Amino acid sequence: MLRSREGKSDATLLADFIVTRKKRHAIRGMGYPDPNVLWRLDMFYTAVGLAIAERFRLVTSPIVETKTVRPSGPCFSRSGSSSFCPDVHRFGFEAFRQLAEAGTKLVDDATSATEAYRDLARA
């Protein structure tokens, strides 16, 4: 989903990531998720990866990838572990603050791990 950013406020650009309880309850959780949901998921983790790359001046690549692997819906795989299928249909945050906190926590956790293994990260 490519959208022009020109002239839009931050709140307008981030509005798709806000999924209130009322909206969340209205979303049907069966079948394949809406492409907009997968876009939100991809953009969120892309932003986290870019923030990590900016902190360390390192190139990052995603370790979470959305794939449709069976009729019941998408699953995600992580290196070295089995697949897991969260409630991806309802991916979003109640408020901008929760969005910011979730992204910041992921970046901070990655920062801690990268600092502990700095030589490995730079290899």
Side-chain angles (χ1 to χ4, degrees):
M1 175 186 313
L2 184 60
R3 297 180 182 181
S4 174
R5 298 179 295 171
E6 289 183 36
K8 293 185 179 179
S9 68
D10 290 346
T12 299
L13 292 171
L14 295 172
D16 288 339
F17 292 92
I18 305 306
V19 181
T20 63
R21 281 194 182 116
K22 186 176 181 178
K23 286 183 189 176
R24 196 175 310 275
H25 288 298
I27 298 170
R28 195 172 140 244
M30 300 296 293
Y32 297 113
D34 184 283
N36 292 333
V37 172
L38 296 178
W39 174 85
R40 279 197 312 264
L41 188 68
D42 185 50
M43 289 299 101
F44 176 75
Y45 284 101
T46 296
V48 167
L50 290 170
I52 294 165
E54 184 177 354
R55 272 195 191 175
F56 288 99
R57 302 290 185 239
L58 296 171
V59 176
T60 62
S61 57
I63 60 167
V64 176
E65 181 179 14
T66 56
K67 292 182 181 180
T68 303
V69 294
R70 56 186 168 161
S72 63
C75 286
F76 303 91
S77 296
R78 294 178 294 187
S79 299
S81 69
S82 60
S83 295
F84 61 101
C85 299
D87 190 13
V88 70
H89 296 80
R90 296 174 180 92
F91 179 77
F93 302 90
E94 268 299 305
F96 292 119
R97 178 181 289 277
Q98 289 177 339
L99 169 62
E101 288 171 352
T104 299
K105 181 176 180 352
L106 288 169
V107 173
D108 289 345
D109 289 350
T111 299
S112 296
T114 303
E115 286 174 348
Y117 301 100
R118 186 175 288 275
D119 293 337
L120 182 61
R122 298 211 179 273

